[in-house]
Amino acid sequence: MTRSRAYALLALACVAPRLGILLHERGAITAGYAEKSDIFAQTFVQHGTYGFLPGEPSAYTQPLYGWFLVPVYWIFGRHWLSIGLAQLVLAVVTAWLVYEIGRRIFHSDRVALLVAAIATLHPYLAWHDMHVNREIVDQVCAAAHVLLTLMTAERPSKRLAVLTGAVAGLAMLGNTRLVFLPIVCAGYLLWRLPRTRSAALVAVLVLAGAGVVVAPWLVRNKADVGCWAITTDGLALWKANNLQTYGLLTSGHWIDNVRNQPTPPPPNQFRPDDAYTLYTRHEVARAYRIYPNECAAMSFFEHKTIQFWKDHPGAKGKLMLLSAKLLWQPSVLETTGRQGKGTQLDAGRRLVEPAYMWALYVLAAIGLFVAPRSFVALALLIFGYQTLCAFAFVGATRYRIAWDFLVALLAAAALARIGERVKEQRA
């Protein structure tokens, strides 16, 4: 099978279900599923400021998804079709990248096509891709990063090492949970490559590549917002780390439902999104008057989080175990405020997605023993890193799906071995 034919088949497999979902959900794409990046992109296109309010630069969310939306809104406008088609392109690119990873691991176009099809037909992912959610950029960065890491391990070069680090830097800008991803990648490459100065140089260049990509955003935030930070949303970290969090998650609520939030001392007791709410109500003067010092508020909530870890290690331990469970459970995390509650969408959450993931997990468990050792090591390293991130923050299906293609790759290894055994028995 030629690569061009495989690409065409994958594009069809990726587009068909997502296009149906997009048409079905067209009335809800811009009306629901609010995301801060969407607001930032609108403000930038209309006023030239990347933030909530014109003239008030903000770092209150990870920037990558907003940057992705800016040219879409600028050229095509904020419309369900422009958003959906742009994200559909990213989904197709992700499928192609997974295919390329499969070709490198299995040296078989058919197995590579199989794994990419399995990954792109992930029910939750197909639905998630067609809504305003930042994980769409996470997954393309994840697939590109794994592909480049494997390429660098096979044929190390300065160019590949820098490019691998640069993609890791983009992943960091898409999701602050990945802030240590370049270090994980550098460590893996040091393990894979011979213990030489060249290997050490490759590892350093990976870190340097990530630094070059992230540095402009950090400098911008220092100059315009006041601190070195990828995001100033320290409140999100505290919401995932307080005495209420465990009870909320176990009772079907999400961390946004936390009550009695501590407030920073004046004048920073209001959040940037509070000011935006006033701004949209045409209370413009008041909105600017209450706009906080994001950096001071971030430090306040980070201190509260660390204090929770120190004062309540037992509660944090329980929360860590729950977070890991929520991250890896086959069923979709359901909350009381979920979109589509009580509709057929819940049937997908409770039946379709768990059936898909259970099958994938069982096959992936077999794949751990038959897939190439070097790839298994990389997959386990990333799975372990994801789990550690869930320990520090909180776990949910949406935080895992960007990396589920690794599970699909392990599952494909098992299917390929099973196919070989069947052929041997028939012969």
Side-chain angles (χ1 to χ4, degrees):
M1 178 180 293
T2 63
R3 181 178 289 178
S4 58
R5 185 180 179 187
Y7 273 29
L9 290 173
L10 277 176
L12 180 61
C14 179
V15 168
R18 287 169 173 80
L19 194 56
I21 291 169
L22 177 62
L23 293 173
H24 180 272
E25 289 289 292
R26 61 187 181 276
I29 300 299
T30 56
Y33 304 94
E35 227 281 347
K36 292 193 289 286
S37 299
D38 172 50
I39 298 171
F40 278 42
Q42 292 182 70
T43 305
F44 186 86
V45 170
Q46 296 168 8
H47 304 285
T49 302
Y50 194 76
F52 283 107
L53 306 183
E56 288 285 352
S58 176
Y60 205 61
T61 188
Q62 297 96 313
L64 187 60
Y65 184 52
W67 291 345
F68 164 74
L69 291 175
V70 163
V72 175
Y73 292 177
W74 202 318
I75 299 170
F76 303 106
R78 184 179 180 268
H79 189 269
W80 66 268
L81 187 60
S82 60
I83 296 170
L85 292 181
Q87 299 195 171
L88 192 58
V89 170
L90 286 190
V92 171
V93 171
T94 301
W96 289 344
L97 289 170
V98 174
Y99 170 79
E100 293 297 334
I101 296 170
R103 289 182 77 245
R104 289 196 165 268
I105 294 172
F106 303 114
H107 309 289
S108 167
D109 289 322
R110 291 186 180 276
V111 178
L113 181 60
L114 172 66
V115 67
I118 291 173
T120 199
L121 291 173
H122 187 155
Y124 183 90
L125 190 64
W127 178 270
H128 204 67
D129 284 352
M130 292 295 96
H131 294 88
V132 180
N133 287 298
R134 60 178 173 80
E135 284 78 19
I136 187 70
V137 294
D138 290 351
Q139 61 190 9
V140 71
C141 288
H145 178 70
V146 169
L147 177 60
L148 287 167
T149 300
L150 293 173
M151 292 172 64
T152 305
E154 292 171 8
R155 294 185 178 181
S157 70
K158 295 178 181 178
R159 180 179 64 85
L160 274 178
V162 171
L163 191 56
T164 302
V167 172
L170 285 175
M172 292 164 59
L173 294 175
N175 189 340
T176 51
R177 291 171 178 246
L178 302 177
V179 67
F180 297 112
L181 182 63
I183 297 175
V184 172
C185 175
Y188 173 77
L189 291 172
L190 285 173
W191 172 74
R192 278 288 309 274
L193 299 174
R195 306 299 190 272
T196 62
R197 288 185 178 179
S198 297
L201 178 60
V202 164
V204 169
L205 289 175
V206 167
L207 300 178
V212 167
V213 169
V214 175
W217 179 245
L218 296 177
V219 171
R220 175 264 190 190
N221 290 341
K222 178 61 178 177
D224 293 343
V225 182
C227 52
W228 305 99
I230 295 178
T231 175
T232 56
D233 188 8
L235 176 61
L237 178 63
W238 176 82
K239 285 180 179 179
N241 289 277
N242 65 82
L243 289 174
Q244 302 175 60
T245 307
Y246 186 89
L248 287 171
L249 295 175
T250 53
S251 61
H253 296 274
W254 186 235
I255 59 175
D256 290 335
N257 298 120
V258 65
R259 296 180 179 181
N260 302 320
Q261 299 177 12
T263 55
N268 303 312
Q269 65 266 46
F270 295 100
R271 303 194 306 268
D273 47 343
D274 294 325
Y276 175 74
T277 300
L278 292 173
Y279 184 80
T280 56
R281 295 174 182 170
H282 304 290
E283 299 181 48
V284 178
R286 188 178 171 205
Y288 280 97
R289 190 165 62 251
I290 72 166
Y291 202 87
N293 180 330
E294 292 184 21
C295 298
M298 176 187 70
S299 298
F300 173 83
F301 285 111
E302 287 179 347
H303 172 73
K304 288 290 184 181
T305 299
I306 295 172
Q307 193 173 38
F308 167 72
W309 292 347
K310 290 180 178 179
D311 295 344
H312 305 280
K316 177 57 181 175
K318 285 178 58 180
L319 189 55
M320 289 166 64
L321 294 177
L322 177 63
S323 293
K325 173 184 176 294
L326 295 178
L327 179 71
W328 293 108
Q329 65 183 21
S331 57
V332 178
L333 174 64
E334 294 185 32
T335 59
T336 54
R338 64 189 179 276
Q339 295 283 350
K341 179 183 178 182
T343 66
Q344 292 180 346
L345 186 56
D346 274 346
R349 293 180 174 121
R350 296 168 186 173
L351 299 174
V352 180
E353 176 67 11
Y356 171 89
M357 286 307 302
W358 269 121
L360 217 60
Y361 279 157
V362 170
L363 289 169
I366 300 172
L368 288 172
F369 299 96
V370 298
R373 298 293 90 191
S374 57
F375 170 71
V376 171
L378 178 59
L380 290 177
L381 194 62
I382 292 175
F383 293 158
Y385 180 71
Q386 284 182 276
T387 305
L388 289 176
C389 289
F391 285 167
F393 299 96
V394 70
T397 309
R398 63 177 293 191
Y399 300 139
R400 190 200 69 225
I401 55 169
W403 300 91
D404 272 355
F405 68 89
L406 294 172
V407 183
L409 283 160
L410 291 171
L415 289 173
R417 180 58 60 90
I418 292 170
E420 291 173 2
R421 291 289 178 87
V422 171
K423 285 183 179 180
E424 291 173 359
Q425 290 177 359
R426 288 180 178 176

